[in-house]
Amino acid sequence: MNHCKRLMVRSGVRLLSILLFSAGLELLVGPAPAMSAIRNAAPTCVGDCDHSGSVTIDEIVTGVNIALDELALGRCAALDCNETGEVTVDCLVSAVAAALNGCPSIPPSSPTPTATATAPNTAAPTSSTAAPTATVTPTVAIPPSDCGTFLTLWGRIGSGDSEFHDPAGIAVDGTGTVFVADSGNNRIQEFSNDGTFLTEFGSPGNGDGELDTPRGVAVDRDGNVFVADTNNNRIEKFTHAGTFLAKWGSAGNGDGQFSGPTGVAVDRDGNLFVADRFNNRMQKFTNDGVFLIKWGNAGDGDGDFSNPIGVAVDSDGGGVFVADHFNDRIQKFTLTGAFLDKWGHPGTGEGEFSDVESIAAIDGDVFVADTDRIQEFKNNGDFITTWGDLGNRAGQFNSAIGVAADADGNIFVTDENQRVQKFVCP
């Protein structure tokens, strides 16, 4: 379906959907099931987002907008359900109903509706306010270059498979398997490269294999998984399948101790780098947890830190990159901790940062999760491009938290919309 036809269909679907809603949703899936489906989706903010006990017109319009974005991405019922080459009214009704009744990839919505409403002369049956008209908005935030083109997304709030509660760090191994630190659920989830759930490991606690708000994850060439067990102030090491192998660290500021370890990264030799956030330093260990070196102090000078959160090691051995959170900059070091370079300062322009969160580096390129966008740089700090803005639609972010890159040019981002998004950067 070409772009113009898609826009015509989306506009027609929205108008049809609003008419169906104004008739009490009885034409969609029946009066009771339809409204219960919207209310049951409330954890994803499709429904009673303000927890007032009722679904407002604005919330209904928001739900329709989110559902129809899913239709445009082809995740729910086919618009041409009869395979006649035409989009008929019955197909539109079926597709909207499928989306509103649990299309699995509907992302959570922000509390502020993305559609506006006007008041025509016909009264809606559920309030004295007239039936609203939805504003058609773009589905995908398009970056200024091919880098950052949206591919897919998965996740919603919850504790089941493929659900998240504050997803944070993310990593991709050499086979394309994606690992997500599901910090609020105290576990690591594994997915295929396209988002199919594979397995999970971890549970709340401080015993072997247990986790307390894990914020970082990394994978070495042998498939070993390293987790920054943040509130337990330690690192845990697991097999690729999630079997516990080792742990090290305790609360403190001595060698091998931590205060809120957050970001983790592995170099080609299997050495582990840890962003020791509240100690304002980096620590380096062998693959088995033997302390090697540390560097950094609190401050804003070269090699100083103010809450370092993210760390990455370039796949080509080009250096160690640290997301220096409150200094709003990236710092680059040698593998032994010698300062090399820095870039960035507070702001929202190109190459500027606002509480930079995490970082990924591969083949000489550096990707930075910067609030509601991703910025790409060369490993010398030269700005390349940026994509994303605030929102809950495909290609938008609500505080981008974790970022990872694979060898095929795919970029994976976690954000507070409780999901993972996948982009391509050829």
Side-chain angles (χ1 to χ4, degrees):
M1 186 179 294
N2 62 38
H3 177 68
C4 293
K5 187 175 181 181
R6 182 179 293 113
L7 287 178
M8 292 175 66
V9 169
R10 286 172 60 80
S11 299
V13 173
R14 291 184 189 276
L15 291 174
L16 173 64
S17 303
I18 297 301
L19 291 174
L20 292 173
F21 272 115
S22 68
L25 294 172
E26 296 185 10
L27 294 177
L28 263 175
V29 288
M35 191 55 73
S36 64
I38 294 176
R39 290 198 178 103
N40 289 339
T44 63
C45 281
V46 179
D48 184 15
C49 300
D50 60 6
H51 307 292
S52 64
S54 62
V55 180
T56 66
I57 289 178
D58 279 346
E59 289 167 341
I60 289 173
V61 174
T62 301
V64 172
N65 274 312
I66 294 172
L68 293 175
D69 284 338
E70 293 297 306
L71 301 183
L73 293 172
R75 301 181 201 277
C76 298
L79 291 176
D80 180 18
C81 60
N82 297 321
E83 298 183 355
T84 62
E86 300 292 335
V87 180
T88 61
V89 172
D90 63 318
C91 292
L92 292 179
V93 172
S94 297
V96 174
L100 290 173
N101 280 287
C103 177
S105 296
I106 295 179
S109 168
S110 62
T112 303
T114 55
T116 59
T118 60
N121 293 327
T122 56
T126 55
S127 86
S128 58
T129 305
T133 300
T135 299
V136 178
T137 54
T139 299
V140 180
I142 302 296
S145 72
D146 288 340
C147 188
T149 300
F150 173 82
L151 294 179
T152 189
L153 61 82
W154 65 91
R156 62 170 70 197
I157 192 167
S159 57
D161 297 344
S162 301
E163 295 180 332
F164 301 108
H165 183 188
D166 294 336
I170 187 168
V172 189
D173 70 9
T175 69
T177 302
V178 179
F179 298 78
V180 180
D182 188 7
S183 64
N185 284 322
N186 296 300
R187 65 182 179 180
I188 303 298
Q189 293 197 68
E190 293 184 34
F191 302 90
S192 69
N193 204 262
D194 62 359
T196 302
F197 174 81
L198 299 176
T199 190
E200 65 172 19
F201 56 90
S203 59
N206 56 16
D208 293 351
E210 296 178 332
L211 303 166
D212 187 352
T213 320
R215 300 291 297 177
V217 60
V219 189
D220 68 15
R221 290 187 171 189
D222 296 325
N224 297 306
V225 182
F226 300 85
V227 179
D229 189 8
T230 304
N231 285 359
N232 281 327
N233 290 300
R234 66 183 182 181
I235 302 297
E236 290 198 84
K237 179 180 178 181
F238 300 85
T239 67
H240 194 278
T243 301
F244 172 81
L245 293 175
K247 64 182 179 183
W248 63 89
S250 59
N253 57 15
D255 294 349
Q257 294 184 312
F258 303 105
S259 180
T262 306
V264 287
V266 184
D267 68 15
R268 291 182 295 184
D269 296 325
N271 297 309
L272 184 72
F273 296 80
V274 182
D276 189 6
R277 180 175 183 178
F278 299 116
N279 282 326
N280 291 298
R281 65 182 182 180
M282 297 297 303
Q283 294 196 68
K284 180 179 179 181
F285 302 87
T286 68
N287 198 269
D288 295 321
V290 177
F291 172 81
L292 295 175
I293 57 172
K294 63 184 178 184
W295 72 89
N297 295 286
D300 58 8
D302 293 349
D304 292 336
F305 301 109
S306 181
N307 276 217
I309 292 182
V311 59
V313 180
D314 199 336
S315 61
D316 66 2
V320 179
F321 301 85
V322 180
D324 192 3
H325 185 67
F326 287 136
N327 282 327
D328 293 304
R329 65 183 180 180
I330 302 300
Q331 295 198 70
K332 179 180 178 180
F333 302 87
T334 67
L335 295 176
T336 55
F339 174 82
L340 292 175
D341 201 357
K342 64 183 178 183
W343 68 87
H345 55 270
T348 58
E350 295 178 354
E352 298 177 331
F353 302 110
S354 177
D355 294 343
V356 58
E357 285 287 343
S358 62
I359 189 166
I362 189 166
D363 298 334
D365 290 331
V366 177
F367 299 87
V368 180
D370 174 34
T371 311
D372 300 317
R373 64 179 178 174
I374 302 297
Q375 295 196 69
E376 181 190 8
F377 303 85
K378 299 303 295 181
N379 63 11
N380 63 358
D382 289 345
F383 175 82
I384 298 177
T385 190
T386 184
W387 72 88
D389 57 10
L390 176 62
N392 55 33
R393 300 187 177 217
Q396 295 181 314
F397 305 106
N398 178 15
S399 296
I401 301 297
V403 60
D406 69 16
D408 294 326
N410 298 307
I411 311 300
F412 301 83
V413 183
T414 62
D415 76 334
E416 292 183 2
N417 283 321
Q418 312 299 330
R419 65 186 183 183
V420 175
Q421 293 191 78
K422 178 181 177 181
F423 303 86
V424 66
C425 192

